[in-house]
C-alpha cells in the first residue's frame, strides 16, 4: 500500500445499468463455484509467497532488477496455467515508460516498468470486464536491508494467482465466467498509484465496459484491533458507488466464508483515508464500483520485517476465497451492477 496520503478530487459521471438481481439470482451457477474455491489453499498461497517475497526479488522496487524477476514470475505462472494474455501471444506486459512514471508528485526518476495482465474471456458477455487487481511492487532495498513486502502486497499478488487458477479450472470444465475477467498486477503503487493510473488512462478494455474492480492490497496479516478475532477483513468502498455491489459482497460472505466484514476504514471521516490510497481509487474516480480488501496495518508495515513467515495463511486462504466467490457472482449474474450512488 502507498504509504503517503494523497488528496484526490472525485470524478463524477453517473454510470448506467439495469439490475434488480440479488446475490442469489442464479443459485445453480453460483454453487458451481464451490469446488473451484476449494482449490485455493493455504499451502499453494504459501508456496508462491515464499518465492515472490524472497530476498531474490530484492523488494520488487519499481523498474529495478528484482521487480523484473517478479513480473517474469507472474508471466511464467500464467503461461504454465494456459491463461491467455489480452495483449495476444506471449506478451503479458503492459509497458509503462520511464517518462510516465517519472512524472510523479515526489519528483522521483523511475525506470521503465510494466503491469502484468492475463485474461479469461467471458462465454456470454465477453465485452463486460471484471478487473481483479493487486500491486506487484514494493519498497526495494534501503540501507542494505531488503523490504520483502510479503503482506504488502505479496499477499494480494499471490491471491490473484490462485483466483486465476481457480477460474481457469472452471473454464476448462465448461464452467467459464459469463463476463470476462482481467487479472491485473500493477506496478508503481508505492510511488503513487502510478501503474493503475496508467492502466485507467490507457485501458486495454474500455473503462465503460469495466463492471467492477476488486482490489486486494494486504490480506495476509492480523492487526492489533483483531488479535482476539483474526477471522476478519476490512472492506473499503463497497457501498460508495453501487448498492448492488455492497449487497452482493455481504450475501456472498454470509453464504460461503463467514468472515467479519469490518467497515471501520470505510468511514469518510476516518483520518487514514485508505479509500484514496490503493489502486482501486483510479477505477473509482471513473465511477467504476470497487471493493478494497485490506487487513489493516501492523508493526511490520513498510519495514524489512514484512516477511512471508509472518503471514497467517489460513486467513489468507479464506479471504482469497471471499474475493473469488464475489468475482464469480459478479461475472455470472444476469445483469450488470448498477451504479446508483455516484456523486458530483
Amino acid at each position: 500500500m502507498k504509504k503517503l496520503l494523497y488528496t484526490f478530487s472525485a470524478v463524477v459521471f453517473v454510470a448506467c445499468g439495469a439490475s434488480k438481481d440479488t446475490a442469489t439470482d442464479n443459485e445453480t451457477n453460483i454453487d458451481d463455484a464451490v469446488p473451484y474455491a476449494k482449490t485455493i489453499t493455504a499451502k499453494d498461497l504459501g508456496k508462491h509467497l515464499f518465492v515472490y517475497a524472497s530476498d531474490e526479488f530484492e523488494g520488487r522496487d519499481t523498474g529495478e532488477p528484482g521487480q523484473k524477476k517478479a513480473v517474469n514470475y507472474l508471466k511464467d505462472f500464467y503461461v504454465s496455467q494456459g491463461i491467455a494474455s489480452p495483449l495476444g501471444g506471449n506478451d503479458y506486459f503492459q509497458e509503462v515508460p520511464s517518462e510516465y512514471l517519472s512524472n510523479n508528485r515526489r519528483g522521483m526518476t523511475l525506470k521503465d516498468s510494466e503491469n502484468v495482465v492475463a485474461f479469461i474471456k467471458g462465454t456470454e458477455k465477453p465485452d463486460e470486464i471484471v478487473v481483479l487487481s493487486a500491486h506487484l511492487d514494493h519498497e526495494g532495498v534501503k540501507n542494505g536491508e531488503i523490504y520483502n513486502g510479503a503482506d504488502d502486497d505479496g499477499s494480494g499478488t499471490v491471491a490473484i494467482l490462485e483466483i486465476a487458477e481457480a477460474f481457469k479450472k472452471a473454464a476448462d470444465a465448461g464452467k467459464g465466467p459469463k463476463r470476462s475477467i482481467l487479472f491485473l498486477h500493477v506496478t508503481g503503487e508505492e510511488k503513487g498509484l502510478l501503474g493503475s493510473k496508467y492502466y485507467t488512462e490507457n485501458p486495454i478494455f474500455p473503462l465503460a465496459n469495466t463492471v467492477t474492480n476488486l482490489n486486494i492490497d494486504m490480506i495476509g496479516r492480523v492487526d492489533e484491533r483483531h488479535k482476539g478475532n483474526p477471522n476478519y477483513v476490512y472492506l473499503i468502498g463497497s457501498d460508495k458507488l453501487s448498492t448492488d455491489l455492497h449487497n452482493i459482497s455481504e450475501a456472498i460472505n454470509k453464504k460461503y466464508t463467514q468472515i467479519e466484514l469490518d467497515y471501520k476504514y470505510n468511514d469518510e471521516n476516518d483520518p487514514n483515508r485508505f479509500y484514496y490510497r490503493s489502486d482501486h481509487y483510479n477505477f473509482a474516480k471513473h465511477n467504476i464500483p470497487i471493493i478494497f480488501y485490506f487487513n489493516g496495518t501492523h508493526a511490520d508495515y513498510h519495514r524489512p520485517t514484512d516477511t512471508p513467515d509472518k503471514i497467517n495463511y489460513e486467513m489468507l486462504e479464506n479471504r482469497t476465497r471471499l474475493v473469488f466467490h464475489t468475482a464469480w457472482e459478479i461475472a455470472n449474474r444476469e445483469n450488470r451492477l448498477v451504479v446508483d450512488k455516484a456523486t458530483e
Side-chain angles (χ1 to χ4, degrees):
M1 170 180 287
K2 177 170 58 70
K3 190 172 185 179
L4 298 180
L5 297 181
Y6 294 91
T7 301
F8 297 87
S9 298
V11 176
V12 196
F13 295 100
V14 177
C16 60
S19 169
K20 293 184 180 179
D21 304 41
T22 67
T24 56
D25 70 334
N26 190 345
E27 289 288 347
T28 301
N29 189 278
I30 295 170
D31 287 338
D32 282 344
V34 172
Y36 304 106
K38 289 180 179 178
T39 70
I40 298 169
T41 66
K43 180 180 178 180
D44 288 344
L45 289 160
K47 181 179 177 181
H48 284 303
L49 194 52
F50 270 90
V51 176
Y52 195 77
S54 67
D55 287 354
E56 179 185 355
F57 288 71
E58 301 173 320
R60 309 185 303 275
D61 197 7
T62 303
E64 298 300 326
Q67 184 251 293
K68 303 301 182 182
K69 292 179 182 178
V71 297
N72 281 307
Y73 182 86
L74 301 177
K75 174 184 174 179
D76 289 347
F77 171 80
Y78 286 117
V79 171
S80 74
Q81 296 297 313
I83 300 173
S85 166
L87 302 174
N90 200 41
D91 183 8
Y92 286 76
F93 298 157
Q94 181 188 42
E95 305 293 340
V96 186
S98 170
E99 293 79 8
Y100 183 91
L101 293 166
S102 298
N103 183 21
N104 58 70
R105 292 170 179 261
R106 304 184 198 178
M108 297 171 292
T109 299
L110 301 172
K111 298 176 183 177
D112 291 341
S113 190
E114 47 278 308
N115 296 327
V116 180
V117 290
F119 181 69
I120 293 178
K121 187 175 182 179
T123 59
E124 296 182 17
K125 304 172 187 288
D127 293 335
E128 295 186 15
I129 313 298
V130 174
V131 177
L132 304 182
S133 65
H135 70 89
L136 60 87
D137 62 312
H138 195 54
E139 295 280 280
V141 180
K142 298 179 180 180
N143 299 317
E145 292 189 287
I146 298 173
Y147 286 61
N148 300 96
D151 192 27
D152 186 11
D153 186 29
S155 62
T157 299
V158 301
I160 295 288
L161 297 184
E162 282 291 288
I163 291 169
E165 183 178 358
F167 269 110
K168 183 60 165 63
K169 288 180 184 297
D172 289 346
K175 298 182 185 299
K178 292 180 181 178
R179 293 178 175 82
S180 297
I181 302 179
L182 177 67
F183 306 100
L184 174 64
H185 302 266
V186 292
T187 189
E189 192 270 358
E190 300 288 3
K191 313 300 184 185
L193 314 184
L194 300 179
S196 56
K197 184 172 183 284
Y198 185 84
Y199 178 83
T200 56
E201 292 177 357
N202 303 273
I204 296 171
F205 302 101
L207 294 186
N209 292 359
T210 301
V211 173
T212 189
N213 169 226
L214 305 181
N215 182 49
I216 313 173
D217 191 353
M218 300 173 58
I219 59 165
R221 294 284 295 269
V222 177
D223 68 0
E224 287 296 327
R225 174 179 163 89
H226 294 89
K227 285 294 185 185
N229 178 25
N231 186 38
Y232 79 100
V233 69
Y234 292 109
L235 288 197
I236 302 171
S238 62
D239 63 347
K240 292 193 183 298
L241 291 167
S242 172
T243 303
D244 267 354
L245 179 58
H246 180 74
N247 290 342
I248 287 168
S249 171
E250 287 275 337
I252 289 295
N253 177 60
K254 182 177 180 180
K255 183 170 184 178
Y256 294 109
T257 46
Q258 295 88 49
I259 298 172
E260 177 194 342
L261 304 181
D262 191 328
Y263 295 100
K264 172 181 171 62
Y265 296 126
N266 196 52
D267 186 344
E268 279 294 322
N269 296 316
D270 183 78
N272 295 285
R273 293 174 62 78
F274 286 127
Y275 178 65
Y276 305 95
R277 291 173 56 185
S278 191
D279 294 296
H280 60 276
Y281 187 68
N282 281 317
F283 290 88
K285 68 185 184 181
H286 291 283
N287 275 338
I288 295 168
I290 66 91
I291 301 177
F292 171 21
Y293 300 87
F294 178 46
N295 54 219
T297 58
H298 44 75
D300 300 309
Y301 173 65
H302 279 242
R303 302 294 303 158
T305 49
D306 181 8
T307 50
D309 57 296
K310 296 180 179 179
I311 298 296
N312 183 325
Y313 287 96
E314 288 70 27
M315 274 310 311
L316 178 56
E317 173 189 285
N318 206 29
R319 291 163 174 166
T320 304
R321 289 180 179 183
L322 171 61
V323 182
F324 170 74
H325 277 295
T326 305
W328 181 286
E329 157 63 12
I330 295 167
N332 286 295
R333 70 201 305 260
E334 182 60 30
N335 292 320
R336 179 173 173 165
L337 296 174
V338 174
V339 181
D340 61 335
K341 299 177 72 173
T343 57
E344 297 190 23

